[in-house]
Amino acid sequence: MMQESARETISNSSMSQNGMSTLSSSQLEAGSRDGRSSAGDMSSEVSTVELLHLQQQQALQAARQLLLQQPGSGLKSPKSRDKQRPLQVPVSVAMMSPQVITPQQMQQILQQQVLSPQQLQALLQQQQAVMLQQVRTLALTLNPSHLHTCPYEEQQQQQQQLAAQQLVFQQQLLQMQQLQQQQHLLNMQRQGLLSLPGPAPGQAALPGQTLPQPAGLSPAELQQFGSGTGGGGGGASPPISHHSIANGQSPALNHRRERERERERDSLHEECGGTHPLYGHGVCKWPGCENICEDFGQFLKHLNSEHALDDRSTAQCRVQMQVVQQLEIQLSKERERLQAMMAHLHMRPSEPKSSPKPLNLVSSVTMSKNLPSASPPNLPQTPTTPTAPITPMAAMPQVPSILGGANVPSMGAMRRRHSDKYSMPLSSEIAPNYEFYKNADVRPPFTYATLIRQAIMDSADMQLTLNEIYSWFTRTFAYFRRNAATWKNAVRHNLSLHKCFVRVENVKGAVWTVDEMEYQKRRSQKITGSPSLVKNLPSSLGYGSALNASLQAALAETSLPLLGTPGLMNSGSTGPMGGSCHGLLGGDPPPTMMHSAHDGFNGSLDHLDTNGHSSPGYSPPVHMPIYVKEEPLNMDEDDCPMSLVTTANHSPELDDDRELEEGNLSEDLE
DNA sequence: GTCCCAATAAACATCT
DNA sequence: AAGATGTTTATTGGGA
């Protein structure tokens, strides 16, 4: 039920079947104009967030317990401003200046997957090094020579505490090393599984990518907790379980530890030189601090005073470590879930579908300009597995960025017009993702016009009845198996509205065809934004240089190999560059749609289009038994190269059967 | 702020 | 009469 509601929310469903007003995507986006609550927007992330929150609560409580366990050594009260100051360090900052990162930042990093495995590893190591260094710094601080004002008893107590803390940190070090090992395994797994659309190393976080912040361990929480007001939340929380994972070290682990020690020495050395991992850009990088220190000396002073080896600092370290560990676990779980999802959706290893051009995802993403720059141009594109699909996040056009968090924002996909302006033929776009769109309840990032055209072009005879178009929608996109009233209305609306769709009377009734010229006109209009070009189109023999010059670039992608998905490949491409006539000849056209002259038209087109690809969907008036719609495009008939070269081996009955199947399917789902 | 485009909703007409 | 199909208008929101 929970799933159902989330699904409903995500996919912009409605209850139109019952005659109730539909909840359109725009309504959702606008925050339910009709007063209907869009509650549940975040429902898709609830589980993840809650899990993370739970885990971090555990960490928090563990740290609290640690505090409670400490003998009343007198908590060093942090300055109140530290308690209250919110922590807001952009991830990008943290990445530019490698410092201790906050739990929030870690979450962001992990969730957004903006870090490469190497970067993640480096961050973990750095965190460890920083914490260790902090211990040493604190040890220096607690050196009797520095404790001028401390009474002897207090010194003793602090030294004992230091010893104890060092022990704790040794254990924590082991834990961190264990984490690193886990991370390493995760990295291996990740690299072997899929190529994440993360930025290349060194790239900062993506500003536009604003995933909702999980209910993590807020700085306020940390500070509050650190203040140790005993508020202890009372929970008898499970103790930190790092002991259990501290065993079983391998030689590799020891080696790694050696390297860590070296790194510590280096960092200590650096500190002497005036740098400190916890100090950068004049700001203390202690988690939750951000105290402004004008110079390094001031920073050291601040560090020793504010972040001394007290319960708070220790607890913060433990919390940080716990957070890291939990995030690791979370990452692992999420990754497993992702694998399961992908396996379920279409990346069945047995499927030969493995896209011959795995980069298509990239193209699709880059086309989607409103995709929150989730795809840096130089993002690593190492398709790993043959079946390595799209990570839904990236593939989801606006789902962005495509499933999950990106899923919800994908709702306005079509409305945002990525496809028409920058994208290419639908077939080349969805072909590699055919299975994905077919199974995933994700709105395709194409306009209705684009989809309708594709539906018609996909048909054997370049014409479809309205019902067949419906069926294509439901057959091709899982998304359109719901909200039938809404999108069917939209389909009809688009068919009527756009001149590029031509209604042709048929014996069966009316069928819809595509006036490819008109369609390209629209496209070129949008691509070039130059009306003059469009003006030239009809008169200047259409397929002349103007069209090609303007469209070739746009259509270049059309010529990409469109293999691998038969269902979408037959007609696939758009326009002169990729249009395909195969499968059009040699069939039995519907009685009223005989286009006897198509060969001649094709022949005459050869000099215009060396590819021999004309606009299969173009319907020369001569073939039009009835033009219901007035076509302003007064093409000279002789210039109409193409015909609705009807064919076919395509049996309407067969199609109808299929439609029936699909229809049933859609009906079931509607 | 304006314009354009696409999505959506809805009313209405026509056809089956 | 009901539903499907087709047309048209209005509204809304995003993007340029």
Side-chain angles (χ1 to χ4, degrees):
Chain A
M1 173 171 167
M2 184 69 180
Q3 285 178 342
E4 189 58 29
S5 72
R7 172 187 165 96
E8 289 299 297
T9 304
I10 290 172
S11 54
N12 175 28
S13 82
S14 72
M15 303 167 118
S16 60
Q17 313 307 322
N18 299 332
M20 303 175 67
S21 65
T22 30
L23 186 58
S24 69
S25 65
S26 58
Q27 283 171 319
L28 275 177
E29 291 166 2
S32 64
R33 288 193 299 267
D34 59 354
R36 201 177 295 267
S37 168
S38 61
D41 281 348
M42 312 290 289
S43 56
S44 67
E45 296 144 84
V46 163
S47 62
T48 301
V49 169
E50 285 184 349
L51 182 56
L52 191 57
H53 186 65
L54 271 177
Q55 290 167 345
Q56 292 184 334
Q57 283 295 328
Q58 285 181 354
L60 185 62
Q61 289 186 348
R64 280 179 180 145
Q65 196 174 43
L66 174 70
L67 268 185
L68 294 176
Q69 286 170 355
Q70 295 294 326
S73 59
L75 294 174
K76 290 188 172 67
S77 60
K79 292 190 177 171
S80 59
R81 58 187 169 87
D82 281 349
K83 287 190 269 185
Q84 295 164 355
R85 187 187 303 121
L87 171 68
Q88 286 180 344
V89 180
V91 176
S92 56
V93 172
M95 294 171 67
M96 286 188 304
S97 61
Q99 306 294 343
V100 171
I101 60 177
T102 66
Q104 290 79 9
Q105 290 165 348
M106 180 66 81
Q107 288 168 18
Q108 272 191 324
I109 290 167
L110 290 178
Q111 288 203 355
Q112 301 182 6
Q113 298 178 329
V114 296
L115 289 185
S116 68
Q118 291 75 17
Q119 286 175 306
L120 206 48
Q121 171 91 2
L123 265 178
L124 284 172
Q125 291 174 351
Q126 183 196 340
Q127 293 270 299
Q128 173 184 336
V130 166
M131 289 178 180
L132 278 167
Q133 183 183 344
Q134 181 64 18
V135 171
R136 301 200 173 191
T137 304
L138 291 172
L140 289 176
T141 306
L142 293 176
N143 186 297
S145 63
H146 292 85
L147 302 174
H148 309 292
T149 58
C150 293
Y152 176 71
E153 286 179 4
E154 193 173 336
Q155 289 181 25
Q156 248 191 344
Q157 195 177 20
Q158 286 181 338
Q159 281 178 341
Q160 288 174 353
Q161 189 181 351
L162 171 63
Q165 297 300 336
Q166 282 178 332
L167 190 62
V168 169
F169 267 97
Q170 277 184 348
Q171 293 169 341
Q172 289 170 341
L173 173 61
L174 291 177
Q175 182 183 356
M176 288 299 291
Q177 287 165 346
Q178 189 75 20
L179 277 178
Q180 286 173 349
Q181 273 196 324
Q182 291 177 5
Q183 180 63 38
H184 182 63
L185 289 176
L186 280 174
N187 290 342
M188 305 266 291
Q189 182 184 6
R190 183 191 323 196
Q191 288 168 358
L193 170 65
L194 69 165
S195 61
L196 290 175
Q203 278 191 309
L206 306 164
Q209 193 171 10
T210 55
L211 290 181
Q213 275 284 355
L217 198 58
S218 71
E221 261 183 301
L222 260 181
Q223 294 288 352
Q224 192 180 18
F225 146 70
S227 66
T229 50
S237 57
I240 299 175
S241 60
H242 58 273
H243 301 280
S244 59
I245 60 174
N247 296 327
Q249 302 134 11
S250 63
L253 185 66
N254 291 331
H255 179 65
R256 189 188 303 269
R257 202 181 309 169
E258 284 303 317
R259 283 187 292 153
E260 291 306 320
R261 293 196 182 112
E262 290 175 13
R263 199 170 291 120
E264 293 166 32
R265 283 195 293 272
D266 289 346
S267 93
L268 279 178
H269 184 265
E270 280 179 3
E271 184 179 351
C272 299
T275 62
H276 193 287
L278 284 173
Y279 180 63
H281 297 90
V283 174
C284 173
K285 297 295 183 181
W286 185 272
C289 178
E290 276 193 297
N291 187 57
I292 297 175
C293 307
E294 292 179 358
D295 54 23
F296 190 68
Q298 189 179 344
F299 160 73
L300 284 180
K301 191 176 173 182
H302 159 79
L303 192 63
N304 293 333
S305 62
E306 300 298 324
H307 307 301
L309 180 56
D310 57 7
D311 295 326
R312 183 177 69 114
S313 300
T314 306
Q316 283 179 326
C317 281
R318 295 188 68 122
V319 168
Q320 182 74 10
M321 287 182 172
Q322 194 73 4
V323 165
V324 171
Q325 184 185 10
Q326 297 294 345
L327 287 173
E328 288 292 324
I329 295 171
Q330 178 71 17
L331 177 64
S332 175
K333 288 178 181 176
E334 293 300 323
R335 201 163 295 289
E336 284 178 13
R337 183 191 300 185
L338 174 61
Q339 280 183 280
M341 291 167 66
M342 292 192 302
H344 169 71
L345 287 182
H346 72 124
M347 299 71 183
R348 287 181 285 274
S350 60
E351 240 170 63
K353 162 224 163 260
S354 66
S355 56
K357 51 188 196 86
L359 297 189
N360 196 291
L361 166 62
V362 176
S363 73
S364 86
V365 169
T366 46
M367 290 192 260
S368 309
K369 53 182 176 167
N370 80 331
L371 233 174
S373 44
S375 59
N378 52 346
L379 87 163
Q381 303 165 359
T382 50
T384 43
T385 359
T387 57
I390 21 194
T391 57
M393 290 281 200
M396 278 326 85
Q398 329 20 266
V399 155
S401 339
I402 241 259
L403 301 178
N407 210 352
V408 177
S410 78
M411 303 230 321
M414 288 171 75
R415 151 165 280 169
R416 285 170 195 162
R417 293 180 277 160
H418 319 159
S419 66
D420 266 20
K421 215 167 203 170
Y422 297 94
S423 78
M424 277 315 69
L426 174 62
S427 54
S428 68
E429 169 68 12
I430 69 170
N433 306 327
Y434 175 76
E435 290 293 327
F436 174 78
Y437 285 119
K438 187 176 179 180
N439 296 308
D441 187 14
V442 170
R443 179 171 204 150
F446 308 100
T447 64
Y448 279 112
T450 305
L451 291 175
I452 294 168
R453 176 189 168 275
Q454 188 62 36
I456 296 172
M457 301 299 255
D458 273 353
S459 68
D461 46 5
M462 301 293 167
Q463 59 181 24
L464 287 178
T465 65
L466 181 64
N467 199 39
E468 288 168 344
I469 295 174
Y470 290 163
S471 296
W472 184 89
F473 271 70
T474 55
R475 186 170 62 243
T476 310
F477 301 99
Y479 179 86
F480 291 115
R481 288 166 198 159
R482 297 178 300 99
N483 296 335
T486 298
W487 65 260
K488 283 181 178 178
N489 184 26
V491 166
R492 291 195 304 271
H493 165 76
N494 274 265
L495 283 171
S496 292
L497 186 68
H498 298 305
K499 291 182 294 186
C500 58
F501 299 121
V502 180
R503 183 175 178 271
V504 177
E505 288 288 341
N506 201 347
V507 275
K508 277 178 62 180
V511 293
W512 289 92
T513 63
V514 176
D515 183 341
E516 192 65 18
M517 274 306 254
E518 201 61 41
Y519 183 82
Q520 297 302 336
K521 239 169 83 177
R522 288 183 63 239
R523 278 175 46 82
S524 65
Q525 212 167 357
K526 280 185 281 186
I527 291 171
T528 65
S530 162
S532 61
L533 169 65
V534 177
K535 251 189 243 169
N536 292 336
L537 281 181
S539 58
S540 61
L541 290 179
Y543 298 88
S545 58
L547 173 62
N548 284 339
S550 64
L551 293 181
Q552 268 182 3
L555 297 174
E557 297 174 45
T558 314
S559 58
L560 290 175
L562 300 177
L563 310 172
T565 50
L568 292 166
M569 291 303 96
N570 55 355
S571 64
S573 322
T574 308
M577 294 294 293
S580 170
C581 294
H582 60 273
L584 296 177
L585 304 176
D588 299 330
T592 59
M593 291 302 293
M594 260 312 206
H595 307 302
S596 56
H598 62 263
D599 284 341
F601 282 122
N602 281 338
S604 69
L605 184 63
D606 286 344
H607 71 283
L608 296 172
D609 184 357
T610 54
N611 289 334
H613 298 324
S614 52
S615 307
Y618 180 72
S619 312
V622 68
H623 299 136
M624 290 302 126
I626 298 176
Y627 254 92
V628 176
K629 193 186 301 184
E630 190 68 25
E631 282 296 319
L633 188 62
N634 297 323
M635 286 287 294
D636 195 31
E637 292 183 8
D638 291 311
D639 291 334
C640 304
M642 235 350 223
S643 50
L644 276 178
V645 196
T646 56
T647 69
N649 296 330
H650 180 68
S651 154
E653 287 75 20
L654 267 180
D655 196 40
D656 284 344
D657 290 343
R658 189 179 54 181
E659 311 268 324
L660 189 57
E661 260 183 45
E662 300 294 333
N664 290 338
L665 173 58
S666 70
E667 291 300 324
D668 290 339
L669 294 172
E670 279 165 8

